[in-house]
Amino acid sequence: MAEAPPPIKSTKQMKKLMADHFLGLDRAAREGHPKVAWCTSVGPAELLLAMGFDVYYPENHGALLGATRMSAELIPYANAAGYSPDICSYLTSDIGAYLKGVTIPRTSVRI
């Protein structure tokens, strides 16, 4: 049997980085400062950051939902709201999370 590959050294740091990012978005949404912008991967994130927004990236959140196995529970909420089961599961899991009221920060602007 082949030997298992060594663990990736940056995994722990990446988990902390992502947790800090999402916790920061939650705190900003609750406190109202800085403002939070919902911005897709093709949106002007650099401009929003330059204007002082914290940026929420739904694709990253969708990937996180998939990695934590939450997507299967959340996608049906998006489908029931009229989002096609044939579109990207990152989007439908993120929309499902919003509709169910979990893990999505309130945003000031959506791009």
Side-chain angles (χ1 to χ4, degrees):
M1 188 149 115
E3 204 174 301
I8 299 171
K9 292 179 182 179
S10 63
T11 299
K12 186 183 266 187
Q13 291 172 315
M14 181 58 77
K15 285 182 180 181
K16 182 177 179 348
L17 180 70
M18 293 303 293
D20 289 349
H21 176 69
F22 284 107
L23 290 171
L25 289 170
D26 180 61
R27 183 178 51 256
R30 282 186 285 108
E31 296 174 0
H33 183 77
K35 298 292 184 192
V36 177
W38 187 96
C39 183
T40 67
S41 62
V42 296
E46 294 82 2
L47 294 175
L48 293 165
L49 290 166
M51 292 188 305
F53 285 93
D54 273 0
V55 180
Y56 168 76
Y57 303 96
E59 294 88 351
N60 291 1
H61 185 249
L64 182 66
L65 292 171
T68 57
R69 310 251 191 271
M70 292 179 67
S71 292
E73 174 189 340
L74 299 170
I75 289 172
Y77 288 92
N79 296 152
Y83 290 87
S84 172
D86 297 322
I87 61 176
C88 179
S89 62
Y90 282 0
L91 172 68
T92 51
S93 62
D94 196 59
I95 296 292
Y98 175 80
L99 293 171
K100 190 171 180 190
V102 297
T103 71
I104 305 286
R106 289 194 180 270
T107 57
S108 301
V109 63
R110 292 164 192 87
I111 306 293

